[in-house]
Amino acid sequence: MTTDATAPWLIVGLGNPGPEYAMNRHNVGFMVADLLAERIGGKFKRAGKAQAQVLEGRIGAPGPQNRRMILAKPMSFMNVSGGPVTGLRDFYKVPVGNIVAIHDELDIDYGTMRLKLGGGDNGHNGLKSITKSMGADYHRVRFGIGRPPGRMQVADFVLKDFSSTERKELDYLVDRAADSVECLVTEGLERAQSAYNS
């Protein structure tokens, strides 16, 4: 899929709003979005009707690869992310191929990341909601969190904070995920996959 070089990109970190969820595995999309915001030196602001926090800026070095970007964190809960994402897509006139969802992924080991375009939702309720709202042809940055240990329920696992062992690597992995988003937007999916898929 070719992307329109003049169209903006919508980068969406998925998570749940509220301090009690801030360090949950399910909120890693918010963590990556916060780091990207820090890198461009901006602050999130509440977007009118869209039920999201938004930051507009540019991504990439000055020159032909520099892109306009809308960075967003839906302030609905994860399971209903589709409404805010679709609202932002329509407001900013972003082609679906220029949308990136950053999310936790159970089917990938912790410390592993995969980028892809389109595909299924693997039972991820945030993706399910977005796909239901606007189809599946958007990019995903899949941040591996692994499967729950023993008989722990998936819902309990994703809503728990990263373990102390995982936290030792977390900053590095969030940084790497942010790098992968920048690479995807400025250099394209294939280049980002070859550099960051592990």
Side-chain angles (χ1 to χ4, degrees):
M1 173 187 289
T2 56
T3 54
D4 176 353
T6 61
W9 282 78
L10 175 59
I11 315 294
V12 183
L14 295 182
N16 286 310
E20 67 273 35
Y21 300 106
M23 291 306 294
N24 287 179
R25 292 181 178 93
H26 224 18
N27 267 43
V28 76
F30 275 16
M31 295 174 200
V32 177
D34 285 338
L35 179 57
L36 286 166
E38 205 177 290
R39 286 182 180 184
I40 63 172
K43 285 199 167 33
F44 283 101
K45 294 185 173 71
R46 194 71 187 230
K49 297 177 183 173
Q51 244 197 320
Q53 288 188 352
V54 172
L55 169 60
E56 293 182 61
R58 299 197 76 83
I59 194 167
Q65 290 183 319
N66 189 260
R67 300 279 181 265
R68 183 173 164 233
M69 169 186 71
I70 297 97
L71 191 57
K73 298 191 295 184
M75 291 289 111
S76 60
F77 280 87
M78 176 73 86
N79 298 2
V80 287
S81 300
V85 175
T86 304
L88 292 169
R89 176 202 68 181
D90 294 346
F91 182 78
Y92 289 103
K93 300 180 172 48
V94 181
V96 175
N98 279 26
I99 296 174
V100 182
I102 309 160
H103 63 93
D104 58 304
E105 178 63 70
L106 286 159
D107 289 336
I108 302 175
D109 290 339
Y110 183 70
T112 304
M113 190 166 53
R114 303 259 165 78
L115 289 84
K116 70 173 191 171
L117 175 63
D121 55 52
N122 280 14
H124 190 288
N125 290 326
L127 296 182
K128 202 175 283 184
S129 176
I130 295 170
T131 298
K132 188 177 174 189
S133 288
M134 63 180 198
D137 295 331
Y138 55 93
H139 291 87
R140 297 102 192 271
V141 172
R142 305 159 73 205
F143 188 109
I145 60 168
R147 304 292 307 180
R151 298 187 175 187
M152 186 188 287
Q153 294 294 310
V154 164
D156 294 333
F157 179 67
V158 299
L159 293 176
K160 277 203 181 324
D161 289 359
F162 285 99
S163 70
S164 54
T165 307
E166 288 169 333
R167 280 201 295 273
K168 288 174 186 165
E169 278 191 285
L170 185 60
D171 286 349
Y172 165 75
L173 296 170
V174 168
D175 194 64
R176 197 163 176 271
D179 289 347
S180 79
V181 172
E182 291 185 1
C183 184
L184 167 61
V185 171
T186 59
E187 299 184 53
L189 179 61
E190 280 185 29
R191 174 80 187 87
Q193 285 174 324
S194 67
Y196 294 97
N197 276 13
S198 46

